[in-house]
Amino acid sequence: MAQQRFVPGKVSVVLAEGDEPLSNVSNNAYFGDVLEKRLTRRGVLKGGLATVIAGLMATKLPFNNAFAAQDGVSSPSLGFKPVPVSAADKVVVPDGYRVQSFIPWGTPISGDMPAFTHNGSGDDQAQQVGSHHDGMHFFPLNGSSTDGLLVLNHEYVEPRFLHAAAAGLSLDRNGFPQHADGSRDADQVIKEMNAHGITLVRVRQAESGEWGVVQDALNRRVTAQTPMRLSGPVAETDQVKTHYSPDGTMTRGTINNCAHGVTPWNTYLAAEENWAGYFANTDADIDRRQTRYGIETRETGRYQWHRADREDDMFARFDASSKGASATDDYRNEPHTFGWMVEIDPMSPDAAPVKRTHLGRFAHEGVIFAPAVEGQPVVAYSGDDARFEYIYKFVSRQPYQAATADGSLLDEGTLYVAKFNEDGSGEWLALAPGQNGLTPDNGFADLADILVNTRSAADVVGATKMDRPEWGAVDPVTGQVYFTLTNNTRREEGDEDAANPRANNNFGHIIRWQEEGSHAGERFQWDLFVLGGDQESSRDLAGNTLNDDNMFCCPDGLWIDPDRRVWIQTDVSESVMNTGIFEAFGNNQMLVANPETGEIKRFLTGPIGQEITGVVTTPDQRTMFVNVQHPGATTPADDFAAGNFISHWPEGGSAIPRSATLVITREDGGIVGA
């Protein structure tokens, strides 16, 4: 999704998270090179992007039997008039639809917590909806489409907005209130920790059609302080033994939760994405367990939590340096307890969340499950959202049995990484001891070592470097798997211009594949579903350029509804939004595509300075929930000091902007998107 970096004249500027430190220095094939070679082999003359795309589409995508139309497969309808591109500070939906802003950051969810205020304490925040809404799912209660548990991730925080009422403290260049000695106020750090994580809140639709929060025992927060259990091959190994958990069975908290997943047994999985930036480390030598994930020698982490003005290892653990004084001073293993998928049982409020280590350790964007088949393995896909990183698949060892299935199915199996070949074929390479070069002689002692060093293992086996793999989705009828590749501004660095964006992939694309045999198979056929971009550089499935009704770039969020509509959400970095080559795309948006014809329509545009992310409907598909993250986050420092924000959404007036959820319904009560 996004991460913060200082830019002169601004504070806490949010850039595409692909701008995290580049840590993949392997010589593995890059997907752009594979694609170019493939096109060349099929008679496409090497030249500008327009020539390449023209050759690609001349083959009449889809171009192999894996994507041929299947008998009896219906094509979903897109029965609405598309909305235009917008740069306005509001949400726009099609005619015949209505939208409600809902559960903004700070909404109380339990007890008699006070109404939202910027003066709230860290403990208050632990009982309120978190910040920067992201991946999300609706768990119906008793099968209802008007009453259920809404579970949503909170990726990160905007410190200036979180502490807007802080008095007597100066803001450092990243927007953090701090003391003169550089330390941070402990309660403010606690507030930031508690604004991270996951919110579970019961919601219900009233007779008026409006949705509201219901006080319920199921309502709770999971934060950066919540005790969690480690499970799978890495648990109880030396890799994750810490002062907090000498036996390597527990850890504390989850951070930078981006996309999500829903298991076949109806639990929720929260991804830990750009967690590495939260850690400081001043050691001269840092091993691959940290450097391959972007933790390099530096005095501070993203939020400087280790500088809290209180002696407490809840804060100190974010300094992963080796102090050498005593075991209580050494937190080198703390980063190894992050970078996992976190399983939460929404209906069991007393159960500790579980980090499932066999799904691999990397910058998880989320996880998507193939439809579960009785007696067959469980299959889950996940992308590593950083430049030149990989797409993974987990296949369980034990078969799925609906009556007894639980999270233990994710603790035993095989983790694979994808290799995309020039001829449209692909293969899954096992990340398992003794296979594909993963031996002690090559630096991989055992399965736990492979999983803690998932990226390094993928380097060794020869996986294909991708352009920031983000959300995935599986077609519930055809079984085709889709993944968004948001962008990669470092591809062939130096050879970039607006007329040839794939040399510096500013606009991104969506890839899809069909597994050979079942989803548990080790080979597949792949193709491109859409190339994002402007009217010169884009192409849809039918070979047409995108137009005013559907032009988009930087695809990120992705979801396929029960009727097979492909919902696409965009994440143009707000530091470049509505400027230069990105001006034509306006604010971030959500579109919907027909998987058979490739038709795409723009369904929604969001306010200023935000990302559209997270989408799900109620079971009857008549209510849709969509998240709006970090509106107004790039307000310049001088404007912030004067109380002038680039966005005042959702409250309007002079209000400080707040992330919130949208509730979208049709005025006639029909299915959303149909």
Side-chain angles (χ1 to χ4, degrees):
M1 293 295 177
Q3 70 175 9
Q4 295 174 326
R5 177 179 296 175
F6 175 71
V7 172
K10 294 188 177 183
V11 178
S12 297
V13 170
V14 181
L15 300 178
E17 66 192 29
D19 287 325
E20 69 178 29
L22 184 62
S23 62
N24 189 348
V25 295
S26 74
N27 293 320
N28 291 357
Y30 166 53
F31 179 77
D33 298 332
V34 172
L35 177 60
E36 182 179 359
K37 290 178 181 178
R38 181 179 184 188
L39 298 174
T40 302
R41 284 184 54 184
R42 290 159 56 205
V44 179
L45 296 176
K46 188 173 181 179
L49 178 65
T51 303
V52 173
I53 294 176
L56 174 65
M57 296 306 169
T59 63
K60 301 184 184 299
L61 284 175
F63 54 76
N64 58 51
N65 291 335
F67 293 90
Q70 300 184 25
D71 293 340
V73 175
S74 61
S75 184
S77 62
L78 310 180
F80 60 90
K81 181 180 179 181
V83 301
V85 166
S86 172
D89 193 29
K90 63 181 181 180
V91 174
V92 180
V93 294
D95 292 341
Y97 284 80
R98 56 182 173 227
V99 60
Q100 170 193 356
S101 61
F102 188 49
I103 56 169
W105 154 52
T107 301
I109 64 169
S110 61
D112 297 320
M113 292 300 299
F116 171 77
T117 170
H118 286 284
N119 291 312
S121 70
D123 288 342
D124 287 348
Q125 180 62 74
Q127 304 299 323
Q128 298 170 335
V129 172
S131 178
H132 287 38
H133 301 27
D134 211 302
M136 169 177 55
H137 189 71
F138 178 83
F139 292 88
L141 295 177
N142 300 315
S144 175
S145 287
T146 60
D147 187 7
L149 202 63
L150 194 62
V151 184
L152 60 154
N153 292 345
H154 303 288
E155 188 176 8
Y156 62 105
V157 300
E158 216 313 329
R160 296 178 301 164
F161 297 171
L162 198 69
H163 308 303
L169 298 174
S170 62
L171 296 177
D172 76 355
R173 71 174 192 168
N174 290 315
F176 299 99
Q178 63 179 15
H179 298 291
D181 64 359
S183 65
R184 299 217 46 220
D185 180 84
D187 189 66
Q188 291 180 351
V189 172
I190 290 171
K191 189 174 183 180
E192 292 171 16
M193 287 182 167
N194 287 339
H196 281 71
I198 299 96
T199 292
L200 301 93
V201 58
R202 185 175 180 179
V203 297
R204 181 185 293 156
Q205 187 178 33
E207 291 185 5
S208 66
E210 294 288 297
W211 285 74
V213 170
V214 178
Q215 298 299 325
D216 193 276
L218 294 175
N219 293 1
R220 65 193 187 280
R221 289 295 320 286
V222 174
T223 75
Q225 300 189 84
T226 303
M228 301 189 173
R229 186 163 62 87
L230 294 167
S231 187
V234 178
E236 302 183 57
T237 69
D238 290 343
Q239 306 272 8
V240 289
K241 291 179 179 178
T242 63
H243 172 58
Y244 174 72
S245 180
D247 62 357
T249 61
M250 298 290 293
T251 186
R252 288 169 293 182
T254 184
I255 51 179
N256 212 260
N257 302 106
C258 198
H260 70 297
V262 180
T263 68
W265 46 95
N266 217 33
T267 58
Y268 185 85
L269 286 168
E272 297 182 327
E273 193 194 15
N274 289 319
W275 51 272
Y278 289 67
F279 290 92
N281 194 332
T282 56
D283 288 348
D285 297 314
I286 303 176
D287 68 27
R288 65 177 179 177
R289 292 177 297 176
Q290 295 190 24
T291 58
R292 186 60 182 83
Y293 294 89
I295 301 177
E296 301 167 353
T297 299
R298 56 188 175 191
E299 294 184 359
T300 187
R302 181 174 184 178
Y303 293 113
Q304 307 176 42
W305 286 347
H306 67 292
R307 290 184 172 177
D309 58 1
R310 192 174 84 194
E311 292 289 335
D312 192 323
D313 73 349
M314 181 64 75
F315 311 127
R317 63 194 172 111
F318 287 97
D319 183 349
S321 306
S322 174
K323 308 294 195 306
S326 68
T328 60
D329 226 0
D330 188 340
Y331 302 104
R332 283 177 293 178
N333 280 351
E334 190 72 23
H336 312 156
T337 68
F338 290 88
W340 311 104
M341 294 299 305
V342 184
E343 185 177 17
I344 299 168
D345 185 346
M347 304 304 169
S348 300
D350 295 329
V354 182
K355 297 196 177 186
R356 298 292 179 185
T357 63
H358 212 152
L359 297 181
R361 175 176 173 259
F362 44 89
H364 281 277
E365 180 71 16
V367 66
I368 183 70
F369 287 82
V373 179
E374 193 78 11
Q376 297 297 315
V378 169
V379 179
Y381 301 90
S382 191
D384 185 351
D385 182 13
R387 293 185 302 265
F388 306 116
E389 294 300 344
Y390 308 118
I391 294 174
Y392 298 87
K393 177 173 79 171
F394 172 82
V395 179
S396 70
R397 178 176 299 171
Q398 298 299 322
Y400 173 75
Q401 304 290 345
T404 59
D406 61 24
S408 64
L409 283 170
L410 303 179
D411 289 340
E412 293 183 284
T414 302
L415 184 66
Y416 297 88
V417 66
K419 181 179 180 181
F420 293 83
N421 299 320
E422 298 175 25
D423 61 359
S425 67
E427 53 191 305
W428 292 105
L429 307 173
L431 302 181
Q435 297 188 44
N436 300 311
L438 299 179
T439 64
D441 288 344
N442 286 333
F444 298 92
D446 53 24
L447 180 55
D449 199 17
I450 290 170
L451 294 173
V452 169
N453 298 288
T454 302
R455 283 181 171 178
S456 297
D459 295 341
V460 168
V461 304
T464 304
K465 296 179 179 179
M466 307 297 285
D467 280 358
R468 291 186 55 205
E470 299 236 27
W471 293 54
V474 178
D475 188 309
V477 176
T478 67
Q480 293 168 7
V481 185
Y482 292 68
F483 258 78
T484 54
L485 300 167
T486 293
N487 54 38
N488 187 346
T489 57
R490 297 290 180 89
R491 177 158 86 91
E492 299 179 7
E493 190 173 7
D495 186 19
E496 57 188 79
D497 58 70
N500 191 18
R502 293 300 188 267
N504 176 6
N505 188 4
N506 287 288
F507 295 152
H509 51 285
I510 298 176
I511 192 171
R512 64 177 184 173
W513 64 86
Q514 184 88 54
E515 301 280 11
E516 291 187 2
S518 72
H519 283 95
E522 296 186 4
R523 297 190 177 277
F524 59 90
Q525 297 291 321
W526 67 268
D527 209 326
L528 297 182
F529 180 65
V530 62
L531 297 170
D534 57 29
Q535 295 189 26
E536 298 296 325
S537 60
S538 60
R539 287 296 188 277
D540 65 13
L541 190 64
N544 304 312
T545 58
L546 301 180
N547 56 47
D548 289 342
D549 291 338
N550 59 14
M551 188 169 63
F552 73 94
C553 69
C554 304
D556 190 333
L558 189 69
W559 182 62
I560 299 179
D561 69 27
D563 292 333
R564 304 184 60 231
R565 297 177 194 85
V566 181
W567 297 87
I568 303 166
Q569 300 173 316
T570 71
D571 182 18
V572 179
S573 169
E574 62 267 33
S575 63
V576 298
M577 191 183 302
N578 289 304
T579 65
I581 60 173
F582 297 99
E583 184 176 7
F585 303 100
N587 296 340
N588 278 313
Q589 56 186 276
M590 183 169 72
L591 309 97
V592 60
N594 184 319
E596 298 298 327
T597 66
E599 178 189 15
I600 301 174
K601 291 184 177 181
R602 186 179 300 107
F603 180 81
L604 175 153
T605 59
I608 295 173
Q610 51 70 43
E611 172 192 348
I612 296 296
T613 178
V615 54
V616 70
T617 64
T618 52
D620 64 6
Q621 301 186 71
R622 285 170 167 77
T623 299
M624 173 176 278
F625 301 97
V626 176
N627 282 327
V628 176
Q629 184 184 111
H630 61 67
T634 51
T635 297
D638 291 343
D639 287 341
F640 175 82
N644 300 321
F645 306 99
I646 63 172
S647 172
H648 297 283
W649 189 88
E651 295 172 279
S654 60
I656 291 177
R658 297 158 68 188
S659 297
T661 299
L662 304 176
V663 181
I664 302 170
T665 54
R666 278 174 49 167
E667 293 176 353
D668 64 3
I671 292 174
V672 176

